[in-house]
């Protein structure tokens, strides 16, 4: 890894797939060395390296050394944190990291949490508890887990920013509510969910005889890193008596920040919170968690099995974490956070996040200085959405096309990995900075490379236009 010179080789799926054609998994190789040699050809040679300073594409981070140490230990022991009799101390370690995080969020006594595979599963749990706790309140004798959805389910609505993560839609589909249950709320000029429009949408839904079930605020949208106005939204939820979920899968890095923690103000008012340590706490994939203000809601995911976690164990006070989880066999990912906190400490994690925040501000200053670049926003976390737009002589489709080619060309060259997104129908480029070892010089190299490509593509287009015009 130390000798990797660029984040990717640039190989195409077709080129790499061709190398797999002759592999026969029914015939083992003669030695481990042979298997590793083969693996280095098939995987490592063309791996995408998140630790490389010019990997600035998606929400992936380089990892702390303690998380790597923890991975070795937890795999060797092969602990499963579903029941006490498969984990013992590991259960208590997870509980301690959960309690630490609840404390960082500011959730009160009586709150609880559980490690998950990541933000998607945490968001699913949030929507599940919002759904089942409403039914438990309305008709305690007809819980969803026993009787399925009630007749009013088709009238439930979930409100979330048009910029929130797609796992909210996916969760609603899985929970029998459908994509149609999700009302996308428009965002303001800072890419935050517009609280006034949210209030209007909730009132409108009520007027139509529908039922607001939950609001999902995003603390760190995937594209813009924008943080919805948590305090305003909490107030609205309180007024309408609906579940308030905060998806802080990305913004959770601010929990340990010494300089920017205030940007999460209001997160402590949530009914539930999603946290991804594998995004903003520099932990290896996967490492996420879900938190809920009132632990009793977790009973909606509890099923007692005689062979595993009988009710009697709970009555005796044996902690079986499976009672709180959607999974049964579950990785001991909490150890990674535990060792990170015990070896490098909370401050180091916060400083690393602050460092990438500062780098993003510097990056923003560099980007806005180029007249050929159109930058959409000032950074609130660590992303930048922008595009190459050198002249009005190019049509909207040509600009979109050029930006797509810039990204494809750059990623194909492997000298840098950047991301792309669409905003209001237009094509943009995106940087996601989560690597504290990336320097502003690395960023400058990427900017130079993308502008060089953009200029070449634009002048080619303009020349062909002139050529066509001359004929
Ligand atoms: C805001 C947000 N929420 C949830 C998720 C899903 O998280 P995961 O990929 O860990 O399932 C993402 C992933 O990028 C995200 O950006």
């Amino acid at each position: 890894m130390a000798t990797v010179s660029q984040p990717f080789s640039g190989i195409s799926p077709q080129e790499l797939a061709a190398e797999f054609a002759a592999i026969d998994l029914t015939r083992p190789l003669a030695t481990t060395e042979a298997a590793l040699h083969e693996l280095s050809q098939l995987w490592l040679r063309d791996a995408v390296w998140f630790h490389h300073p010019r990997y600035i594409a998606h929400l992936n981070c380089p990892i702390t050394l303690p998380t790597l140490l923890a991975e070795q230990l937890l795999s060797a022991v092969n602990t499963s944190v579903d029941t006490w009799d498969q984990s013992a101390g590991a259960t208590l370690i997870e509980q301690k990291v959960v309690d630490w995080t609840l404390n960082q969020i500011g959730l009160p006594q009586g709150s609880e949490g559980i490690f998950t595979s990541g933000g998607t599963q945490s968001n699913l749990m949030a929507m599940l508890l919002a759904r089942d706790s409403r039914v438990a309140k309305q008709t305690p004798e007809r819980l969803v887990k026993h009787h399925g959805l009630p007749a009013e389910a088709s009238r439930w609505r979930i409100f979330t920013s048009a910029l929130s993560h797609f796992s909210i839609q996916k969760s609603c589909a899985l929970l029998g509510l459908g994509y149609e249950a999700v009302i996308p709320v428009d965002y303001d000029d800072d890419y935050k969910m517009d609280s006034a429009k949210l209030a209007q949408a909730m009132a409108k839904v009520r007027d139509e005889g529908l039922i607001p079930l939950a609001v999902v605020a995003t603390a760190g949208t995937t594209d813009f890193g924008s943080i919805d106005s948590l305090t305003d939204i909490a107030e609205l939820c309180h007024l309408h008596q609906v579940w308030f979920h905060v998806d802080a899968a990305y913004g959770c890095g601010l929990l340990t920040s010494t300089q920017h923690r205030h940007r999460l103000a209001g997160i402590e008012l949530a009914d539930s919170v999603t946290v991804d340590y594998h995004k903003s706490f520099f932990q290896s994939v996967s490492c996420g968690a879900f938190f809920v203000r009132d632990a009793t809601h977790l009973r909606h995911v509890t099923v007692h099995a005689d062979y595993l976690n009988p009710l009697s164990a709970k009555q005796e006070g044996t902690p079986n974490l499976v009672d709180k989880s959607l999974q049964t066999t579950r990785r001991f990912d909490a150890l990674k956070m535990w060792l990170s906190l015990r070896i490098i400490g909370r401050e180091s994690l916060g400083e690393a996040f602050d460092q990438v925040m500062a780098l993003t501000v510097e990056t923003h200053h560099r980007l806005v200085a180029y007249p050929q670049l159109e930058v959409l926003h000032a950074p609130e976390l660590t992303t930048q959405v922008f595009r190459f737009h050198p002249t009005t002589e190019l049509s909207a489709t040509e600009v979109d096309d050029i930006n797509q080619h810039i990204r494809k060309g750059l990623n194909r060259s492997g000298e840098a990995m950047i991301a792309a997104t669409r905003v209001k129908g237009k094509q943009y480029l995106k940087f996601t900075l989560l690597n504290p070892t990336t320097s502003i010089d690395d960023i400058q190299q990427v900017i130079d490379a993308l502008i060089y490509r953009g200029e070449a593509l634009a002048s080619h287009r303009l020349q062909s236009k002139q050529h066509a015009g001359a004929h």
Side-chain angles (χ1 to χ4, degrees):
M1 286 179 73
T3 59
V4 161
S5 63
Q6 48 178 47
F8 185 43
S9 70
I11 197 163
S12 75
Q14 293 76 11
E15 287 160 353
L16 196 49
E19 303 205 23
F20 279 74
I23 305 286
D24 180 358
L25 289 182
T26 62
R27 290 159 176 259
L29 296 173
T31 62
T32 303
E33 284 71 22
L36 289 178
H37 179 72
E38 177 188 84
L39 192 65
S40 72
Q41 299 293 311
L42 296 176
W43 177 38
L44 294 176
R45 187 193 65 199
D46 303 300
V48 180
W49 301 102
F50 297 163
H51 73 286
H52 193 280
R54 292 193 303 278
Y55 175 87
I56 53 174
H58 299 290
L59 278 165
N60 306 111
C61 54
I63 59 173
T64 67
L65 286 175
T67 200
L68 185 57
L69 174 60
E71 285 282 8
Q72 292 173 355
L73 291 167
L74 68 91
S75 296
V77 181
N78 202 21
T79 291
S80 172
V81 268
D82 47 329
T83 53
W84 170 262
D85 69 0
Q86 295 173 79
S87 59
T91 284
L92 301 182
I93 284 177
E94 171 162 340
Q95 192 61 50
K96 197 90 181 163
V97 179
V98 161
D99 292 345
W100 175 84
T101 314
L102 285 170
N103 201 263
Q104 301 300 308
I105 297 171
L107 284 171
Q109 276 285 327
S111 53
E112 236 327 348
I114 185 81
F115 269 67
T116 64
S117 57
T120 303
Q121 189 186 128
S122 298
N123 285 342
L124 175 63
M125 283 191 83
M127 295 300 93
L128 189 151
L129 297 197
R131 181 191 73 171
D132 292 8
S133 65
R134 172 179 167 90
V135 176
K137 203 161 144 197
Q138 302 289 116
T139 53
E141 70 292 353
R142 286 200 60 83
L143 296 182
V144 175
K145 75 174 178 181
H146 293 300
H147 303 284
L149 296 177
E152 67 161 39
S154 63
R155 292 192 287 133
W156 291 337
R157 293 296 177 267
I158 288 103
F159 301 82
T160 188
S161 158
L163 295 171
S164 73
H165 192 256
F166 69 83
S167 52
I168 302 302
Q169 271 82 354
K170 200 178 206 175
S171 302
C172 289
L174 291 170
L175 294 169
L177 313 183
Y179 292 159
E180 274 187 12
V182 183
I183 311 253
V185 179
D186 210 355
Y187 46 89
D188 62 18
D189 293 343
D190 294 324
Y191 300 91
K192 297 168 187 286
M193 177 155 61
D194 187 319
S195 306
K197 288 194 176 146
L198 171 64
Q200 283 165 11
M202 290 173 91
K204 182 165 175 277
V205 154
R206 278 212 197 280
D207 289 347
E208 289 167 352
L210 303 171
I211 304 165
L213 181 76
V215 177
V216 178
T218 314
T221 56
T222 316
D223 279 346
F224 297 95
S226 45
I227 300 170
D228 293 341
S229 307
L230 305 181
T231 316
D232 294 350
I233 298 168
E235 225 170 85
L236 266 175
C237 289
H238 188 68
L239 190 72
H240 286 267
Q241 288 292 295
V242 304
W243 189 275
F244 174 35
H245 176 62
V246 177
D247 177 358
Y250 173 23
C252 60
L254 293 175
L255 290 172
T256 49
S257 159
T258 45
Q259 297 171 35
H260 308 288
R261 171 64 178 84
H262 60 275
R263 295 186 189 190
L264 285 181
I267 193 171
E268 71 286 355
L269 303 171
D271 287 303
S272 55
V273 176
T274 287
V275 161
D276 262 359
Y277 308 101
H278 65 208
K279 290 189 179 35
S280 308
F281 280 84
F282 310 103
Q283 302 300 306
S284 60
V285 174
S286 62
C287 198
F290 170 73
F291 301 92
V292 62
R293 176 175 215 84
D294 176 353
T296 62
H297 293 310
L298 286 165
R299 73 186 188 282
H300 298 301
V301 300
T302 310
V303 180
H304 290 291
D306 289 336
Y307 84 94
L308 189 69
N309 59 333
L311 183 59
S312 58
K314 190 179 175 108
Q315 287 158 346
E316 285 161 12
T318 305
N320 286 327
L321 298 185
V322 68
D323 293 353
K324 305 190 274 179
S325 176
L326 297 183
Q327 295 171 242
T328 306
T329 303
R330 197 163 51 89
R331 282 169 56 83
F332 179 28
D333 290 317
L335 183 64
K336 302 187 284 195
M337 270 304 290
W338 173 275
L339 279 187
S340 294
L341 291 172
R342 298 310 277 162
I343 297 172
I344 62 170
R346 175 191 184 279
E347 279 70 31
S348 302
L349 295 171
E351 277 162 20
F353 198 73
D354 281 348
Q355 208 171 316
V356 283
M357 297 263 295
L359 177 68
T360 315
V361 171
E362 244 182 309
T363 302
H364 177 73
H365 292 317
R366 296 272 171 120
L367 290 173
V368 293
Y370 289 91
Q372 3 12 357
L373 298 181
E374 178 192 319
V375 184
L376 274 193
H377 62 121
E380 192 162 18
L381 287 176
T382 66
T383 67
Q384 277 290 265
V385 179
F386 63 96
R387 63 188 195 146
F388 180 75
H389 192 181
T391 157
T392 49
E393 284 171 62
L394 293 164
S395 71
T397 323
E398 283 172 321
V399 175
D400 279 355
D401 215 41
I402 288 174
N403 280 282
Q404 250 162 2
H405 277 92
I406 291 175
R407 185 217 182 188
K408 281 188 185 150
L410 209 52
N411 291 3
R412 176 79 170 151
S413 78
E415 60 189 301
M417 290 292 278
I418 66 170
T421 190
R422 290 186 83 84
V423 184
K424 298 195 166 149
K426 293 181 190 162
Q427 186 64 47
Y428 286 85
L429 303 171
K430 179 170 78 163
F431 288 170
T432 307
L433 308 184
L434 273 179
N435 187 343
T437 70
T438 299
S439 69
I440 193 66
D441 292 342
D442 295 313
I443 298 291
Q444 188 62 53
Q445 261 188 58
V446 182
I447 298 174
D448 290 345
L450 73 89
I451 286 186
Y452 177 79
R453 282 169 196 279
E455 303 280 13
L457 288 159
S459 80
H460 181 71
R461 297 278 163 129
L462 289 172
Q463 269 168 20
S464 348
K465 269 189 176 187
Q466 280 159 6
H467 193 65
H471 288 77

